[in-house]
Amino acid sequence: MLFSVNKSLIISFFLLLCFFAFLIFLGEDASIRVHDNLEANIAWYKSLADQHLLLASSYTPNETVMQAPRIAFGSELSLIAWLFVWFKPIIAYNINVVLMSLIAFIGTYLFTKDSLKLSPKIAPLVALAFALLPFWFSGGLSAAGQPLLFWSFDRILKKHHSLLEWTIFLLFPFYSSLIIAGLFMMVLMVAYLGLKFLTNDKRIAYKEGIFALVILTVGYVLVEYRLFLDILKIGTPTGFTPHRLEFIQGNSFSESLKAAKNSFLGGQNHFPSIHTYLILPAAFLYSIYAFFKRKTLATILLCLLILAGIALIDGFWTYEGFETFKDSIPILKAIQLDRFYSLYPILWFSIFALIIREIPIKFALVLGAAQVILVLFSNQVFGDFIKKNIHGRDYVSYREFYAESLFSRVKAVLQKDAKTTPRVGLVGLHPAVAQYNQIPTIDGYVVLYSLAYKHQIQAIIQSELNQNKFIKDYFEKWGSRCYLFDNEAIISGDGILKTQKCCTKSLDYDFVKLKQLKCGYIISAVEVQKPSVHLKLLSKVEDANWRVWIYKVL
């Protein structure tokens, strides 16, 4: 029996190591998520490291990223930020991925085996499936570490704890995010503790459980000290108004209901649970089976009820009927309560573990292996590699997206003309590409910047916005992507690639206001067919993926 347990665990761990080796082998040639990743966070971390801004005061401007305040780019007490100081960006990225998946594997194995009483033969397969989930890079352990944290909490409550469990609670905030997941994990733990108290469960160590939550809370307050000081208006510049206060979200009831349905059935892209094709049908079928066989269903039904509630919050958070309520409580504009969806992975996989715990072990092994395969092919790094080499469907890799070789030539053109590295605006390209290559931009994707700056950019591009309702609403009602939008050259996904036949007749910008922001050049992925008297073509450079026109603003 011991040999069997070790064999199952060793094989699963070996397969995880194979995935790590594959990831490291691909390096910069891997297909890596663009949305909220290549187009944003990776360039942010690199810009902090390049300019030595990690320890700067909260409202020190990031000159590379549209002069946005330092507070917009996360805490210096986060492990992820320091990885970019210590290592090259791609190495920092891969170290983070390996750490997330490794901790996810260990935590899920312990949580399912010890807390959910899953067979040691099956637990490694569930752990492998969970570890292979495409966790969002910037979340750290926000999703990947939940099984380990809940395992620690369970052991503390059951008085089986040691120094290890307390250390996990102590260190967890330094590798996860309070506003993305930490707050919602704590709500779930408080709810669990309250439920046990209401049922008068004498086996629970309530004082120790509360103390563990206090440790976690204090840790998050320490890590996110910039956020809490800003809430208290300590160090916030007089007159600074964040652009987030102008967010306008107004989905109809039917749209919100549809969003809630999609959230429950398909999950959330920042916290993927890959439950649609196996876990959800298994939960439905097992519930019917257990009902007729009079088996215990309480825990599974409770999890499903929580998941349904989270889906409703997620779907209706942007419901137009709640906008007045959110406007009356400004902090709700900063803390999105729809992020309870960060609990999706742990809850769906808990249901999966509870189901396969109750079925014959051979069938459980088949289901566990099937979930591993589903997750593996849903992981962008592996899935896109297979599509490219079997189906011939190419992808833009990390190396190709940031195009360092191409942009070294762009920088040479700029420096030859300006003698220094000037501020630029981008059309048809994510500004993060230039920012990664240490070219300061007036535009970008930032979670916090001044409303006044948004209005300055809006004044520049207003004529273009007025020609396209989609980009007009996208910018005016949200605006975190503060891009120099063009009516004809709309960025989608990677950006406008060389293979796409796209151009723009003209850029209907207010060039006087553009120059007021000290923007000296426009870098465009499309040719401006009729440049105004305000634009002069300096050069055109290209590589296998990008074709870039460099215009001087006159």
Side-chain angles (χ1 to χ4, degrees), residues 336-354:
Q336 298 174 228
L337 292 183
D338 56 340
R339 286 176 175 160
F340 272 106
Y341 54 57
S342 60
L343 300 173
Y344 274 164
I346 184 68
L347 288 172
W348 280 113
F349 270 76
S350 293
I351 289 174
F352 186 53
L354 291 170

Side-chain angles (χ1 to χ4, degrees), residues 181-208:
L183 174 65
F184 311 106
M185 289 187 285
M186 288 192 285
V187 169
L188 186 61
M189 287 187 279
V190 168
Y192 179 77
L193 200 59
L195 182 63
K196 290 295 183 181
F197 179 78
L198 290 175
T199 57
N200 199 28
D201 193 330
K202 302 294 186 182
R203 299 167 298 175
I204 299 298
Y206 294 102
K207 290 182 180 179
E208 287 85 346

Side-chain angles (χ1 to χ4, degrees), residues 282-350:
F284 176 72
L285 294 174
Y286 180 78
S287 297
I288 296 174
Y289 167 78
F291 176 78
F292 286 106
K293 292 292 183 177
R294 297 185 178 179
K295 289 179 174 287
T296 303
L297 265 174
T299 306
I300 292 176
L301 290 178
L302 178 61
C303 286
L304 287 171
L305 186 63
I306 294 172
L307 286 163
I310 292 172
L312 286 172
I313 294 172
D314 185 22
F316 279 87
W317 184 247
T318 55
Y319 173 50
E320 58 190 1
F322 293 150
E323 284 306 297
T324 303
F325 170 70
K326 287 192 288 186
D327 287 340
S328 65
I329 307 175
I331 195 172
L332 293 180
K333 292 282 188 176
I335 300 176
Q336 298 174 228
L337 292 183
D338 56 340
R339 286 176 175 160
F340 272 106
Y341 54 57
S342 60
L343 300 173
Y344 274 164
I346 184 68
L347 288 172
W348 280 113
F349 270 76
S350 293

Side-chain angles (χ1 to χ4, degrees), residues 152 226 393 524:
S152 301
R226 294 179 188 269
R393 291 172 56 186
S524 178

Side-chain angles (χ1 to χ4, degrees), residues 94-112:
N94 284 337
I95 288 174
N96 185 44
V97 171
V98 168
L99 284 175
M100 287 192 298
S101 295
L102 186 60
I103 293 170
F105 179 83
I106 295 169
T108 307
Y109 174 71
L110 293 172
F111 178 65
T112 54

